[in-house]
Amino acid sequence: MSAHCQLTGVQPGFGNNISHSHRRTSRRFDPNIPRKRYWLPSEGRHARLTLSAKAIKTIDAIGIEAAVARIRARGGKV
């Protein structure tokens, strides 16, 4: 499974390394995607989510219950 955010859907981008002589080789721009564990009070359990740094800030703003609802609405598994 590639590195992608469960909440925002952020995935790696692709492009080129360009050397001093201007030769181009493929490269991958990986997003900042740590795994984080949250307590779900409504289910009485922990959930381990793969989230981007922006998604972690979003969860701090909207709450874990609303974030889990968004993930499930996108068809994701929690």
Side-chain angles (χ1 to χ4, degrees):
M1 180 171 107
S2 67
H4 74 280
C5 177
Q6 290 179 289
L7 182 61
T8 61
V10 172
Q11 295 179 339
F14 294 90
N16 291 313
N17 279 327
I18 301 180
S19 69
H20 180 69
S21 64
H22 218 64
R23 289 181 60 120
R24 293 178 172 153
T25 55
S26 296
R27 67 160 293 176
R28 180 174 149 153
F29 295 91
D30 285 326
N32 182 11
I33 308 243
R35 292 186 71 186
K36 193 154 168 63
R37 195 174 108 166
Y38 287 97
W39 172 252
L40 295 175
S42 64
E43 299 179 18
R45 67 180 183 95
H46 285 95
R48 188 176 297 275
L49 301 174
T50 306
L51 301 167
S52 63
K54 183 179 178 181
I56 292 172
K57 294 172 191 172
T58 302
I59 289 176
D60 290 343
I62 67 172
I64 186 62
E65 297 295 336
V68 166
R70 284 188 192 180
I71 292 170
R72 289 185 172 143
R74 291 184 72 222
K77 185 179 173 187
V78 177

